[in-house]
């Protein structure tokens, strides 16, 4: 943004330019998605793994990129997580990481225990504060 002011008795000068930055809003339940592939069952052999993708977006579909402290968690036992998205910190219950340039946090999950593992995402709300929780896998 810039402005020029001139006229009789005025000195011409410019204000600006100013950089205006619009950022995404908080995560939205309908636009934020949590998916797993494959969609069929896998053998509990410790090496067959689901790829779990969390896409974080606001109500207008703007992707929340480089959002830190996002968690993908499981309630299962004897699970083995890996972080596909670089920089993720792996624990026995999940991965904590930062969304990539597309708003994704991607992990894999394998297990040696035959079970149903429920996946939950805990996502910081950058505007309102607090935590947004997405579950459904």
């Amino acid at each position: 943004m810039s402005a020029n002011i001139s006229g009789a008795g005025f000195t011409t000068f410019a204000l600006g330019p100013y950089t205006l930055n619009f950022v995404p809003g908080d995560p939205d339940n309908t636009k934020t998605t949590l998916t797993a592939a494959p969609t069929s069952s896998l053998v509990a052999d410790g090496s067959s793994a689901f790829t779990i993708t969390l896409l974080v977006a606001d109500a207008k579909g703007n992707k929340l990129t480089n959002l830190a402290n996002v968690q993908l968690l499981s309630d299962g036992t004897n699970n083995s997580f890996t972080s596909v998205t670089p920089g993720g910190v792996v624990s026995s219950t999940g991965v904590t990481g930062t969304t990539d340039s597309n708003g994704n946090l991607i992990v894999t999950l394998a297990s040696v225990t035959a079970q149903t593992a429920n996946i939950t995402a805990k996502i910081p709300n950058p505007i309102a504060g607090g935590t947004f929780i997405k579950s459904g896998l």
Side-chain angles (χ1 to χ4, degrees), residues 17-61:
Y18 297 99
T19 300
L20 304 175
N21 189 24
F22 294 96
V23 298
D26 286 328
D28 179 75
N29 192 45
T30 59
K31 299 292 184 178
T32 296
T33 59
L34 184 60
T35 58
T39 56
S40 58
S41 299
L42 292 177
V43 176
D45 60 7
S47 60
S48 299
F50 289 98
T51 298
I52 301 165
T53 302
L54 173 68
L55 169 61
V56 184
D58 69 8
K60 299 296 182 189

Side-chain angles (χ1 to χ4, degrees), residues 110-129:
S111 184
V112 295
T113 302
Q115 63 187 314
T116 298
N118 297 300
I119 305 299
T120 301
K122 293 186 177 179
I123 309 163
N125 285 318
I127 307 297

Side-chain angles (χ1 to χ4, degrees), residues 26-109:
D26 286 328
D28 179 75
N29 192 45
T30 59
K31 299 292 184 178
T32 296
T33 59
L34 184 60
T35 58
T39 56
S40 58
S41 299
L42 292 177
V43 176
D45 60 7
S47 60
S48 299
F50 289 98
T51 298
I52 301 165
T53 302
L54 173 68
L55 169 61
V56 184
D58 69 8
K60 299 296 182 189
N62 298 304
K63 297 172 183 169
L64 280 80
T65 61
N66 301 310
L67 181 63
N69 299 315
V70 177
Q71 297 178 303
L72 282 172
L73 306 167
S74 173
D75 63 352
T77 58
N78 297 314
N79 292 329
S80 175
F81 281 93
T82 58
S83 180
V84 176
T85 304
V89 177
V90 178
S91 73
S92 62
T93 57
V95 174
T96 301
T98 300
T99 58
D100 65 15
S101 61
N102 295 311
N104 294 313
L105 180 63
I106 304 170
V107 304
T108 62
L109 171 62

